[in-house]
């Protein structure tokens, strides 16, 4: 698909054409990754963050937030719960927290692997190559790091680099790939100043990076952030992408068509815009993954990236029962096992097949 075709789909309003897009994305999802929905247990292990991102509630200067860091024991208990519920993957997510040291995370990964056998996904921000390598050696399988928007002019002011460092998430994504991680990235949809051309470039970058996992969601203004407080002023431009449900489904569908073998979640941010049927519509328009939240309730409330996360009000059992009932009603079976990305499996099969030739 060309940039022009992508832009045309992103701005499409004809219901019949959109139905055709959903149908094509659903067919591609079915033939590339099958019918099962993989459930990834999400654990928000720390909301400390040293970064200053103008859009995110976890930003360091936000003093309206009680900060927490879960202990290894608390995390292990939640991991056991996730395994008992039949999840094959645990996602450890946090702000960019320097209190999560190289050794502490490596020990944690080893412990969780030994105790549960779950696949481990890390989502701990921009970390150095040495520690990413150490965590991979400790057994971490996957890493999530959104590039947020491919338009660097838009990103740089919204996501200030760490003092003395160049911002280069793309280089970091390549490092992760070289380390053998399954690599996930993605964007926010509807950032103030984001155009449809930017969104088309984001989609093309998903393909160029050969991503194994792609997570996208609408930008949701947070009142305690500079961007959220200013949100109403900047939305007038005709080229502005709306931070809405429809655009999110379009990006999910187009991501599926461009990267058929990737694992693509229907994200919590999408379900925040449409708590009733956001997950279902995402899963019918290209997505094949849901990330139920296993973070203990008091911590979950404090993991306030953006307001209105639906699970923040529910306890785990209620959240779990509701989610599995909704998937059953949709006629989609639960995935079993780690549910590795078929894109990663294919890349590694190709590498393994090439190896004897290269070594000869
Ligand atoms: N609205 C929606 N998503 C957000 N994120 C951060 N702030 C917001 C917001 N206000 C997303 C970013 C980040 C992920 C963990 O959450 O894409 O990578």
């Amino acid at each position: 698909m060309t940039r022009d075709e992508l832009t045309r789909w992103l701005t499409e309003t004809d219901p019949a054409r959109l139905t055709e897009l959903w149908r094509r994305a659903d067919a591609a999802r079915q033939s590339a990754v099958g019918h099962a929905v993989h459930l990834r247990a999400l654990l928000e292990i720390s909301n400390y963050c040293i970064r200053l991102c103008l859009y995110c509630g976890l930003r360091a200067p936000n003093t309206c937030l009680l900060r927490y860091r879960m202990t290894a024991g608390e995390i292990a208990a939640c991991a056991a719960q996730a395994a008992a519920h039949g999840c094959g993957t645990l996602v450890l997510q946090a702000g960019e927290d320097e209190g999560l040291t190289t050794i502490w995370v490596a020990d944690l990964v080893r412990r969780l692997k030994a105790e549960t056998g779950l696949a481990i996904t890390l989502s701990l921000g921009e970390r150095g190559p040495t520690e990413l390598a150490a965590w991979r050696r400790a057994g971490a399988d996957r890493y999530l790091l959104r590039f947020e928007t491919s338009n660097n002019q838009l990103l740089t002011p919204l996501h200030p680099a760490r003092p003395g460092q160049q911002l280069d998430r793309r280089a970091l994504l390549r490092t992760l790939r070289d380390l053998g991680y399954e690599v996930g990235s993605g964007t926010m949809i509807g950032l103030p100043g984001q155009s449809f051309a930017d969104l088309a470039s984001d989609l093309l970058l998903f393909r160029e990076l050969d991503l194994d996992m792609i997570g996208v969601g609408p930008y949701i203004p947070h009142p305690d952030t500079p961007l959220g407080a200013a949100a109403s002023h900047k939305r007038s431009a005709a080229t502005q992408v709306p931070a809405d449900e429809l655009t999110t489904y379009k990006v999910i569908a187009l991501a599926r068509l461009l990267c058929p073998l990737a694992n693509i979640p229907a994200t919590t941010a999408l379900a925040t815009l449409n708590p009733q049927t956001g997950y279902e519509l995402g899963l019918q328009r290209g997505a094949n993954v849901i990330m139920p939240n296993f973070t203990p309730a008091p911590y979950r409330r404090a993991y306030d990236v953006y307001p209105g996360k639906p699970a923040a009000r529910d306890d785990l059992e209620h959240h779990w029962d509701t989610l599995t009932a909704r998937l059953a009603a949709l006629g989609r079976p639960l995935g079993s096992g780690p549910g590795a990305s078929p894109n990663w499996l294919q890349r590694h099969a190709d590498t393994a097949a090439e190896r004897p030739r290269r070594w000869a």
Side-chain angles (χ1 to χ4, degrees):
M1 230 181 302
T2 63
R3 180 183 301 274
D4 283 351
E5 281 172 301
L6 289 170
T7 309
R8 226 172 301 134
W9 277 121
L10 290 167
T11 50
E12 182 62 65
T13 54
D14 177 45
R17 293 270 300 151
L18 287 174
T19 303
E20 174 60 15
L21 178 61
W22 313 145
R23 192 199 58 72
R24 281 168 55 182
D26 201 41
R29 188 269 309 150
Q30 165 66 38
S31 68
V33 298
H35 223 43
V37 176
H38 295 287
L39 297 181
R40 317 304 199 188
L42 176 64
L43 256 191
E44 295 152 333
I45 63 173
S46 161
N47 70 350
Y48 283 93
C49 189
I50 55 165
R51 304 301 292 265
L52 306 172
C53 306
L54 268 61
Y55 46 82
C56 180
L58 302 193
R59 67 196 306 271
N62 183 7
T63 50
C64 305
L65 210 59
L66 271 180
R67 302 284 173 168
Y68 71 89
R69 187 179 297 126
M70 290 174 71
T71 65
E74 286 174 313
I75 296 168
C78 292
Q81 261 183 328
H85 281 81
C87 290
T89 297
L90 186 69
V91 182
L92 303 179
Q93 189 164 81
E96 221 163 282
D97 176 7
E98 290 185 322
L100 302 178
T101 62
T102 312
I103 288 175
W104 188 86
V105 174
D107 285 347
L108 177 68
V109 169
R110 268 189 291 269
R111 172 175 176 178
L112 297 173
K113 277 282 185 192
E115 289 180 2
T116 67
L118 294 172
I120 304 285
T121 304
L122 300 178
S123 180
L124 305 176
E126 293 169 26
R127 309 290 301 230
T130 313
E131 56 188 343
L132 294 171
W135 298 339
R136 176 80 184 128
R137 279 196 306 277
D141 301 277
R142 309 178 188 146
Y143 204 95
L144 303 176
L145 183 76
R146 289 185 175 181
F147 59 78
E148 314 295 3
T149 166
S150 56
N151 179 343
N152 279 335
Q153 275 185 329
L154 192 60
L155 184 66
T156 308
L158 294 181
H159 180 91
R162 294 169 73 151
Q165 285 191 18
Q166 283 287 96
L167 169 66
D168 195 350
R169 285 200 169 189
R170 291 177 212 191
L172 212 46
L173 290 166
R174 277 190 287 275
T175 301
L176 289 163
R177 183 187 157 102
D178 292 344
L179 289 168
Y181 280 97
E182 279 179 60
V183 180
S185 193
T187 56
M188 279 181 284
I189 295 166
L191 286 167
Q194 190 181 40
S195 68
F196 288 103
D198 291 334
L199 219 46
S201 300
D202 292 353
L203 282 156
L204 291 170
L205 187 55
F206 294 161
R207 189 169 58 184
E208 188 187 318
L209 292 169
D210 189 27
L211 295 177
D212 305 311
M213 303 171 281
I214 300 170
V216 297
Y219 160 64
I220 300 172
H222 190 307
D224 300 326
T225 62
L227 195 66
S232 51
H233 308 303
K234 284 199 156 182
R235 303 203 143 264
S236 48
T239 53
Q240 171 67 48
V241 169
D244 67 0
E245 227 187 308
L246 179 63
T247 315
T248 305
Y249 298 132
K250 287 177 179 173
V251 176
I252 289 174
L254 293 166
R256 172 60 68 202
L257 293 173
L258 286 168
C259 309
L261 294 174
N263 280 331
I264 301 180
T267 55
T268 311
L270 172 60
T272 300
L273 287 194
N274 178 354
Q276 281 75 38
T277 57
Y279 281 145
E280 284 83 348
L281 290 169
L283 291 171
Q284 289 171 318
R285 295 170 175 182
N288 69 322
V289 169
I290 299 276
M291 297 167 70
N293 197 324
F294 276 73
T295 313
Y299 297 142
R300 202 159 66 206
R301 274 190 286 278
Y303 201 82
D304 186 24
V305 175
Y306 50 81
K309 285 197 291 177
R313 291 182 294 271
D314 300 338
D315 64 51
L316 173 62
E317 294 311 324
H318 177 73
H319 180 51
W320 181 262
D321 291 348
T322 313
L323 186 65
T324 49
R326 285 170 64 173
L327 294 177
L330 201 61
R332 295 277 285 275
L334 296 189
S336 59
S341 165
N343 196 62
W344 182 90
L345 291 170
Q346 189 182 66
R347 185 160 77 245
H348 282 255
D350 291 349
T351 316
E354 272 171 30
R355 210 165 276 149
R357 264 184 281 138
R358 262 204 251 137
W359 290 350

